[in-house]
Amino acid sequence: MAYHDDLLGNALQLVHISPPSQFTLRRAVSASYYAVFHLLISEATSNWGNTSLRAALGRAYDHGVMKSASNRILNKKEFTFAGEDSAVVSSLQFVAQTFVQLQDDRHFADYNLTKDLDPTEALTQVKSAQDIFETWPSIRGEQIAQAYLVSLLVKRI
């Protein structure tokens, strides 16, 4: 099993611990974001022909650049997606939007200790990551999805 699959499995286990604690809920939210983060990196680096260097390439990804790239995909002025299958565009935008939301949720879970996480909300956040894992395979081979993966590494394409 791939690292990103393990992270998602861990998030699902943590969010279902009863009774829930702030520690397990926060770790579940964080792990769900990192599951998606590593899924996208794995998908992108799998295109690199030299398998022995894929892990090193994966270290080049930056959370901020990935968030900016995901936000650009959502900007209809920057990306009109003319001529693209609307279902593929919608799925890609879902992945990008959910990635951004999960990153924000992780920041809250990891750094904002002034407010407790709600168990239902934490479960929703983990399920959002699971939804990306279910959506991505249907679009992964599409040119716009591959362009998105490239945009996650470079500051601007």
Side-chain angles (χ1 to χ4, degrees):
M1 188 175 286
Y3 183 60
H4 51 269
D5 293 321
D6 290 341
L7 282 166
L8 183 60
N10 182 247
L12 288 164
Q13 288 174 337
L14 287 169
V15 82
H16 286 103
I17 289 176
S18 184
S21 71
Q22 284 301 298
F23 173 78
T24 59
L25 294 174
R26 289 174 186 281
R27 294 311 311 142
V29 169
S30 187
S32 65
Y33 164 73
Y34 278 108
V36 173
F37 175 78
H38 286 288
L39 168 69
L40 295 173
I41 291 171
S42 175
E43 288 290 310
T45 60
S46 70
N47 292 321
W48 186 260
N50 188 334
T51 58
S52 67
L53 294 176
R54 286 180 183 166
L57 178 61
R59 297 282 302 141
Y61 286 81
D62 175 87
H63 298 276
V65 173
M66 292 175 74
K67 184 176 185 177
S68 294
S70 296
N71 279 324
R72 282 194 310 275
I73 291 292
L74 301 172
N75 184 335
K76 293 180 189 213
K77 290 182 181 181
E78 283 197 55
F79 290 96
T80 59
F81 297 111
E84 296 289 346
D85 181 332
S86 62
V88 172
V89 171
S90 178
S91 292
L92 179 60
Q93 289 174 328
F94 165 76
V95 168
Q97 182 175 27
T98 305
F99 175 80
V100 170
Q101 184 60 53
L102 286 169
Q103 190 179 102
D104 291 344
D105 295 340
R106 186 206 52 102
H107 282 208
F108 181 89
D110 286 350
Y111 303 117
N112 188 346
L113 303 178
T114 63
K115 182 178 177 226
D116 283 350
L117 282 180
D118 176 67
T120 303
E121 184 60 29
L123 178 60
T124 298
Q125 293 164 0
V126 172
K127 286 189 175 198
S128 293
Q130 191 174 30
D131 290 344
I132 288 178
F133 274 65
E134 292 169 3
T135 301
W136 182 257
S138 69
I139 63 169
R140 71 190 300 186
E142 300 292 333
Q143 185 65 27
I144 61 171
Q146 290 298 307
Y148 171 65
L149 292 175
V150 170
S151 76
L152 296 175
L153 179 60
V154 297
K155 291 196 187 265
R156 196 105 173 155
I157 62 167

